[in-house]
C-alpha cells in the first residue's frame, strides 16, 4: 500500500451497490478493492498500490437495531485506515424505510463515529439515470438505454418494490420519517452557480443533514470539488449513490491528476455460466425470459425451500440438477421468482405468517432465507464442478448469497453495464478463488443482459 492516505473508504448497504461504487472508482483510475468482511491491515497489504477500499454490507435489509450492531463496528473498522473520505453507499433509488434499511439511522451512527455535525447527502447519479431536482428524485426505467424517466414514487418498479416501495418523491420528506435530525437542501439554483456558491451554502448551513441536488456530470463535478475541499483536515462522512464516487473522481482528475481512465479488454465468452436470481423486478423477469429463449435452462427454486425441514433435500437435488446441466454445457438460471406475480412469492409470505413473522419483517425474511439458500447451493456446485463465471441478480438476496462463499475481496476486471462490473473473487479457498462474478440490481441491464454476461460483452 502507498504511504499516502487512502482517498476513500466506503460501506455498501448491499452487494450490488457495493460493486457499483467499485466500478466507478476503478474506471476513474483509482485502484480499489471491495472486501466482503471487515479488513485488517494485512488484507490491504495483499493489494500493492491500493488507493480506496470498500466493505460490502447488508444494512439495506436490516432493522434499525440490527444496523446499530452492524454499522458501529463496520464504520470504526474503516475509520481506522484514516481515509480522506468515508461514504455510506446507498442504492441510487434511495431504497429505505423506517423499519428496514433506515438511512436516517445510518446517518446518526456515522455522525457519531466521525464526529461530524452536518452529514452531506448526494443521491443523484445521472450516469445511471438518477436525478435529484429540488429535492425530488427521478429515475429512469432501467439504468441504461432510453427508458422512461419517472419521479421515484411513480416509478412502475420502485413504487411497487416488495420491501421498500417508494411512497414519496421528495427525499427530504422521505428521510424525515427515518430520523429526527434537521434537514436542509442545496438546490439546483445554487449548484448551477458553481463550487464557491455551494461551499458558502455549506458553511452557512445550520441543519444536521444537507442534501445536494444534481442533474448532470457538471453538477457532480461541483459537488466533488466541495466535498474534497471539506476533507482536508479529517475524514469527511457522506451518504449517497455511486454518484459520490463519480463526483470525487471528476474533481480528482481535474485537480490532482489522479484518475487516468482505466481501459479494459473484454474477458470474452465463458460457457456455461450460472445465474442466481432472487429479484422480483420486471427488468430481471424480461432478462430471464430472453435468456431461456436463447439456450439457458431454468430451475425454479420451490417456495417450500424456506421451511428448514425441506432445505437439505431441496439443496441437494438442486445442486445435482445444476451440476448435470453444466456437465452438458448448459448455462442455468436458478430463480426464486419470475416477476412480482409469481405464485411462489405469495406462498413464501403465507409460510412466514404461519411462523408469526410480522408483515414488516416478511420481505426481509424472504431475502435472508432465499439468499442463504442460493449461496449454499452455489457453494456446493463450485465444489463439484469448475465454474468460471456467476451472475447474481437482486441486491438484497445477493448480499446473503455471496456471504456463504468465503470470499475475502472482489476486484473489478471488466465493465458489463453501468453499476454492475465483472469482478474476480479473491479467496483462500481454491474452489472460489479467481471465479468471475457479476452482481446486478433488479433494475440493471437490457433484456439481453444474461447473454452479455455469458459473452463478457459490455452493454
Amino acid at each position: 500500500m502507498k504511504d499516502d492516505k487512502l482517498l476513500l473508504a466506503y460501506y455498501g448497504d448491499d452487494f450490488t451497490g457495493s460493486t457499483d461504487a467499485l466500478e466507478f472508482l476503478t474506471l476513474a483510475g483509482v485502484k480499489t478493492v471491495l472486501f466482503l468482511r471487515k479488513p485488517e491491515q494485512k488484507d490491504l497489504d495483499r493489494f500493492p498500490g491500493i488507493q480506496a477500499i470498500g466493505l460490502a454490507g447488508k444494512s439495506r435489509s436490516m432493522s434499525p437495531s440490527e444496523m446499530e450492531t452492524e454499522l458501529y463496528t463496520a464504520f470504526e473498522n474503516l475509520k481506522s485506515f484514516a481515509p480522506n473520505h468515508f461514504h455510506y453507499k446507498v442504492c441510487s433509488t434511495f431504497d429505505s424505510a423506517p423499519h428496514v434499511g433506515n438511512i436516517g439511522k445510518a446517518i446518526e451512527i456515522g455522525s457519531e463515529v466521525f464526529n461530524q455535525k452536518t452529514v452531506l447527502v448526494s443521491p443523484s447519479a445521472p450516469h445511471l439515470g438518477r436525478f435529484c431536482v429540488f429535492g425530488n428524485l427521478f429515475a429512469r426505467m432501467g439504468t441504461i438505454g432510453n427508458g422512461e424517466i419517472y419521479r421515484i414514487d411513480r416509478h412502475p418498479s420502485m413504487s411497487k418494490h416488495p420491501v421498500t416501495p417508494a411512497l414519496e418523491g421528495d427525499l427530504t420528506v422521505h428521510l424525515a420519517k427515518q430520523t429526527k435530525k434537521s434537514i436542509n437542501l442545496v438546490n439546483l439554483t445554487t449548484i448551477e452557480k458553481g463550487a464557491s456558491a455551494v461551499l458558502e451554502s455549506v458553511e452557512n448551513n445550520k441543519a444536521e443533514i444537507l442534501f445536494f441536488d444534481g442533474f448532470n456530470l457538471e453538477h457532480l463535478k461541483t459537488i466533488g470539488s466541495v466535498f474534497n475541499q471539506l476533507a482536508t483536515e479529517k475524514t469527511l462522512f457522506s451518504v449517497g449513490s455511486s454518484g459520490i464516487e463519480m463526483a470525487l473522481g471528476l474533481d480528482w482528475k481535474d485537480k490532482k491528476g489522479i484518475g487516468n481512465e482505466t481501459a479494459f479488454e473484454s474477458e470474452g465468452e465463458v460457457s456455461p455460466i450460472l445465474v442466481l436470481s432472487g429479484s422480483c423486478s420486471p427488468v430481471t423477469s424480461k432478462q430471464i425470459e430472453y435468456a431461456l429463449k436463447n439456450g439457458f435452462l431454468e430451475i425454479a427454486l420451490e417456495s417450500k425451500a424456506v421451511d428448514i425441514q425441506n432445505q437439505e433435500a431441496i439443496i441437494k437435488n438442486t445442486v445435482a440438477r445444476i451440476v448435470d446441466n453444466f456437465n452438458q454445457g448448459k448455462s442455468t438460471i436458478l430463480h426464486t421468482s419470475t416477476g412480482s406475480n409469481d405464485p411462489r412469492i405469495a406462498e413464501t409470505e403465507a409460510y412466514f405468517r404461519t411462523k408469526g413473522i410480522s408483515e414488516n419483517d416478511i420481505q426481509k425474511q424472504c431475502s435472508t432465507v432465499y439468499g442463504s439458500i442460493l449461496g449454499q447451493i452455489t457453494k456446493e456446485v463450485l465444489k463439484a464442478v469448475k465454474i468460471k463465471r456467476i451472475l447474481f441478480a437482486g441486491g438484497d438476496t445477493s448480499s446473503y448469497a455471496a456471504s456463504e462463499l468465503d470470499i475475502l475481496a472482489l476486484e473489478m476486471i471488466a465493465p458489463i453495464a453501468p453499476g454492475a462490473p465483472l469482478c474476480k473473487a479473491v479467496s483462500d479457498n481454491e474452489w472460489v478463488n479467481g471465479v468471475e462474478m457479476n452482481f446486478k440490481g433488479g433494475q440493471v441491464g437490457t433484456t439481453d443482459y444474461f447473454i452479455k454476461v455469458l459473452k463478457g460483452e459490455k452493454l
Side-chain angles (χ1 to χ4, degrees), residues 186-302:
V186 179
N187 70 40
L188 208 58
T189 61
T190 302
I191 301 287
E192 281 279 312
K193 294 175 183 177
S196 296
V198 174
L199 190 59
E200 182 179 354
S201 290
V202 174
E203 291 171 345
N204 292 332
N205 168 70
K206 304 296 183 184
E208 297 165 292
I209 298 172
L210 189 58
F211 272 88
F212 294 79
D213 272 349
F215 186 74
N216 56 39
L217 293 184
E218 193 61 35
H219 296 154
L220 287 191
K221 186 176 179 180
T222 295
I223 292 168
S225 174
V226 170
F227 282 22
N228 277 325
Q229 290 180 67
L230 295 170
T232 55
E233 295 184 2
K234 67 172 188 175
T235 300
L236 181 74
F237 173 51
S238 63
V239 174
S241 68
S242 62
I244 288 182
E245 278 74 24
M246 178 70 79
L248 295 174
L250 290 169
D251 187 63
W252 287 332
K253 183 176 181 180
D254 185 48
K255 295 178 180 174
K256 289 189 175 184
I258 298 171
N260 294 318
E261 292 186 9
T262 304
F264 288 92
E265 297 292 331
S266 169
E267 290 297 306
E269 182 169 349
V270 170
S271 183
I273 67 169
L274 176 61
V275 178
L276 304 158
S277 177
S279 171
C280 301
S281 163
V283 174
T284 303
S285 178
K286 290 179 181 178
Q287 291 164 346
I288 292 173
E289 181 181 357
Y290 185 89
L292 294 178
K293 292 178 180 177
N294 286 272
F296 281 63
L297 300 180
E298 69 176 326
I299 298 175
L301 186 64
E302 300 172 85

Side-chain angles (χ1 to χ4, degrees), residues 17 19-25 27-28 87 89-93 122-132 137-146 149 214-221 223 240-250 416-421 443-445 458-459:
T19 58
D20 175 10
L22 169 67
E23 175 178 37
F24 286 105
L25 286 165
L27 289 176
H87 174 206
K89 198 284 176 186
V90 301
C91 183
S92 62
T93 46
S122 181
S124 60
H127 49 294
L128 297 176
R130 311 296 190 240
F131 314 96
C132 193
L137 182 62
F138 294 80
R140 186 170 55 212
M141 190 65 179
T143 56
I144 59 175
N146 298 313
I149 295 172
F215 186 74
N216 56 39
L217 293 184
E218 193 61 35
H219 296 154
L220 287 191
K221 186 176 179 180
I223 292 168
S241 68
S242 62
I244 288 182
E245 278 74 24
M246 178 70 79
L248 295 174
L250 290 169
I416 296 289
Q443 297 300 307
V444 171
K458 181 178 177 181
L459 269 68

